[in-house]
Amino acid sequence: MALDAVEAISQLQDRSSAKRRSAAKRLRKLGDPSAGPALLEALKNEVRDSRTWETQYQMTMALGTCGSPSDLSYLRDLVLQRETLHAVHTAGGDAIVRLSYMEHSHTEAIRWCLSTGNETLVGGALQAVAMLRLVLDRETVTNVLDFVESRSPHDGIYFWPAVAAAGWTGQRVHDFLTTCVSGPRSDVVEAATNSLAGNYGTYRPL
């Protein structure tokens, strides 16, 4: 039987990393805001151990669905720290956009992620943009595409903007997707083809 929110919150303190990870995944799915404070404290403890990157990823992703905008300060500080793991950068970008979306400041959050120059963080932010099906203003779309297109088409950062672009408009977007369709990565080609057809597909982050 699946854990309820109370059980999952309690399990965040388990000695087993696998059980803490399972609890975080369950809370991420439930999206219960009552779990936000417990997740934040659990994450602060978890990031002290570099061996538990998968658990850190799931806790950060869960904070994005259960937390509040008040958690943004901690998340921004976390992803700027040199020792923070790549998996947490990805989840952190996703969580920052989701929590900013609650107060309609996601555009500023996306631009902040872009300003760091951190491809992993930006990839996570664009993952959230795609999954939330956010329609961005033209200037922000341009900023995103400028960032992405300055990287190699072999880079995985092309994938989530190719998915998200199903909800974007403009010639620049069409040109980007057309380029992706003829690119070297089959996953990006599929995502871009779906977006050209106005279809987000059935993609899910880990």
Side-chain angles (χ1 to χ4, degrees), residues 36-37 40 63 66-76 99:
L40 180 61
L63 190 61
C66 299
S68 72
S70 64
D71 300 324
L72 284 167
S73 177
Y74 171 76
L75 286 172
R76 289 192 179 199
L99 296 179

Side-chain angles (χ1 to χ4, degrees), residues 11-12 14-24 46 59:
Q11 191 167 298
L12 289 173
D14 198 277
R15 294 181 63 182
S16 165
S17 177
K19 288 190 175 181
R20 296 194 301 274
R21 180 166 63 252
S22 176
E46 200 71 39
M59 284 183 176

Side-chain angles (χ1 to χ4, degrees), residues 89-180:
H89 284 142
T90 299
D94 185 289
I96 286 168
V97 170
R98 288 178 185 273
L99 296 179
S100 298
Y101 182 58
M102 291 181 180
E103 51 184 20
H104 308 290
S105 61
H106 55 280
T107 297
E108 184 275 331
I110 294 164
R111 291 178 178 174
W112 181 84
C113 290
L114 291 169
S115 74
T116 69
N118 184 327
E119 292 186 28
T120 309
L121 177 66
V122 172
L126 296 176
Q127 172 178 282
V129 171
M131 298 310 298
L132 293 172
R133 302 187 177 187
L134 298 182
V135 178
L136 307 181
D137 62 83
R138 184 161 296 186
E139 183 179 358
T140 305
V141 169
T142 297
N143 292 338
V144 168
L145 295 184
D146 284 346
F147 186 96
V148 172
E149 291 179 331
S150 68
R151 273 70 182 172
S152 166
H154 293 272
D155 197 321
I157 200 171
Y158 274 67
F159 177 77
W160 286 113
V163 176
W168 302 346
T169 59
Q171 187 62 44
R172 176 75 186 277
V173 175
H174 185 273
D175 292 344
F176 166 70
L177 291 174
T178 302
T179 300
C180 288

